[in-house]
Amino acid sequence: MWPMVLYDPDSHISLQDYGILIPVAPDRSARVFSELAGRLAKRGLSRDRWAIEPPPVELTREDILRAHSPGFVERLYGDGLEQVMLEAFELIDDEGRPHRYAPETATRPMTDLLATVLQWTARSYQAGVEALSNTGKFCYHLGGGAHHGHAAFGHGFCVVNDIVVAIRKLQAEHAVRTAWVIDIDAHKGDGTAALAAGDDSIQTLSIHMASGWPLDLPPTGADGQPHPSFTPSDYDIPIATGEEGEYLSRLETGLAALGTHSRPDIAYVVGGVDPYEHDGLPSTQGLRLTIEQLTERDRLTFDFLHDRGIPQAWLMAGGYGERAWEPYVPSIEYAVLRSLGQLAG
Ligand SMILES: [Zn+2]
């Protein structure tokens, strides 16, 4: 069996339905899927060779509690849900006014978002199951990657940290013991780093913008404690504006350092394309990679894991504006072809 790309139209989060004005194109996943299908068809590969017909999957509260605090889970499943969503998507500014938010245009209540978030999270878990069981040891979930989700709160458009929930569920089921998280999104994987801190079974690497969100948050929270966004990953690779030319070599060095650890049972890759020079989120302007650099970034990462025989589950993470679909397509095409044994390394 070779299913490798998991696309579930029902788990796609259309933020516009809730009046949320964050520039994620509502057809981002669908566009990637259809462009990919076109390119693979030209190589004689019909969808049944690579696309997964997603089977039903559901997560329980217990699954969420493996990464999140009881208080947060209580709010999520109870009366606090709307407030959790307003915070996670940062829809109210410091003066209490709507920010990137037009509630009067919403066609669905904010509370509907929970079912979609949980479905998204479930699919990220399923991508791990597929990567562990399919012959190519690779699965790309066209969704997921909520790496800013913390134990007790969501922020940065992330509610539930699907990465850590997925890994801990696989661990609870004894499907894996150890995992790596390789985070190549433009933003630091702060939630994942904080959730995995002190957990020797999960090694984290994050290559990201050296400054800007979330690294420009106040260093201490309202409670006087250090803000958890500053929790270091096991390997942090900050890239300053103007250092784009060093990005690939520094990623390679970071991966080589990660590779000195014993081989994990699975790797999750948080494959955000928001470092793209044509990304539509103003706060990602600090890192501007070309499509060629992004394609090379993803090949390096894929090959690093593939050559070591490490099952890899990829998540879409950040990628904003009308052109965000572009860098995903050549990267996923390459990974599918290599997994099928149709390309030499
Ligand atoms: Zn991002």
Side-chain angles (χ1 to χ4, degrees):
M1 289 292 290
W2 300 99
M4 287 176 288
V5 178
L6 200 165
Y7 170 53
D8 174 8
D10 292 338
S11 76
H12 182 69
I13 298 175
S14 183
L15 295 175
Q16 288 77 0
D17 293 356
Y18 303 93
I20 299 173
L21 307 178
I22 295 162
V24 177
D27 65 344
R28 184 178 71 150
S29 304
R31 182 80 188 263
V32 171
F33 188 78
S34 69
E35 295 283 343
L36 190 61
R39 286 171 74 140
L40 291 170
K42 282 191 194 137
R43 293 174 178 269
L45 292 170
S46 56
R47 285 184 193 194
D48 58 321
R49 293 286 306 278
W50 54 272
I52 296 170
E53 198 62 57
V57 58
E58 226 173 282
L59 294 182
T60 63
R61 257 168 109 126
E62 195 190 359
D63 293 322
I64 309 303
L65 279 164
R66 292 198 191 94
H68 293 276
S69 69
F72 178 74
V73 175
E74 198 58 46
R75 291 172 72 204
L76 197 62
Y77 284 89
D79 294 341
L81 174 61
E82 182 159 359
Q83 193 56 37
V84 166
M85 295 300 180
L86 292 174
E87 287 167 15
F89 291 94
E90 299 168 1
L91 302 178
I92 304 294
D93 70 14
D94 291 343
E95 270 122 54
R97 289 174 308 215
H99 169 61
R100 295 190 294 226
Y101 184 39
E104 68 283 0
T105 66
T107 55
R108 298 175 72 178
M110 192 65 89
T111 45
D112 277 10
L113 245 173
L114 178 63
T116 317
V117 165
L118 293 178
Q119 182 76 357
W120 223 49
T121 306
R123 295 300 182 201
S124 294
Y125 153 76
Q126 207 164 30
V129 173
E130 290 291 344
L132 290 166
S133 59
N134 75 34
T135 321
K137 294 188 175 177
F138 164 73
C139 182
Y140 202 114
H141 169 211
L142 294 182
H147 60 163
H148 302 308
H150 284 269
F153 65 95
H155 70 170
F157 322 149
C158 298
V159 184
V160 170
N161 191 306
D162 57 322
I163 309 146
V164 179
V165 167
I167 292 170
R168 296 230 169 107
K169 184 170 171 63
L170 292 168
Q171 289 176 324
E173 292 168 348
H174 306 291
V176 308
R177 201 175 58 77
T178 55
W180 289 348
V181 179
I182 299 174
D183 191 326
I184 50 183
D185 187 275
H187 302 95
K188 182 192 169 192
D190 62 325
T192 311
L195 291 172
D199 178 349
D200 290 342
S201 72
I202 305 176
Q203 293 288 325
T204 55
L205 179 150
S206 178
I207 181 164
H208 48 253
M209 295 185 295
S211 53
W213 199 93
L215 301 174
D216 57 1
L217 290 167
T220 49
D223 55 3
Q225 297 296 317
H227 196 291
S229 285
F230 296 96
T231 310
S233 316
D234 293 300
Y235 298 93
D236 275 316
I237 309 170
I239 305 288
T241 302
E243 290 181 349
E244 284 87 348
E246 295 167 33
Y247 182 97
L248 292 169
S249 62
R250 293 189 56 195
L251 174 61
E252 258 188 305
T253 305
L255 291 174
L258 185 64
T260 62
H261 289 264
S262 51
R263 182 184 172 282
D265 299 316
I266 194 165
Y268 268 86
V269 179
V270 183
V273 302
D274 47 5
Y276 189 27
E277 60 182 337
H278 301 298
D279 191 74
L281 193 70
S283 69
T284 61
Q285 296 302 304
L287 188 54
R288 297 168 68 87
L289 301 181
T290 63
I291 195 162
E292 290 78 16
Q293 286 172 314
L294 284 167
T295 306
E296 188 55 29
R297 171 197 78 162
D298 293 351
R299 288 182 181 197
L300 269 175
T301 307
F302 177 88
D303 287 347
F304 169 74
L305 296 167
H306 183 80
D307 294 347
R308 287 166 177 75
I310 298 168
Q312 47 184 317
W314 286 60
L315 308 172
M316 233 177 172
Y320 303 91
E322 293 306 313
R323 298 186 63 175
W325 63 272
E326 293 172 351
Y328 291 111
V329 178
S331 294
I332 303 176
E333 181 188 33
Y334 173 81
V336 166
L337 293 173
R338 273 220 77 191
S339 297
L340 286 170
Q342 298 204 357
L343 285 180

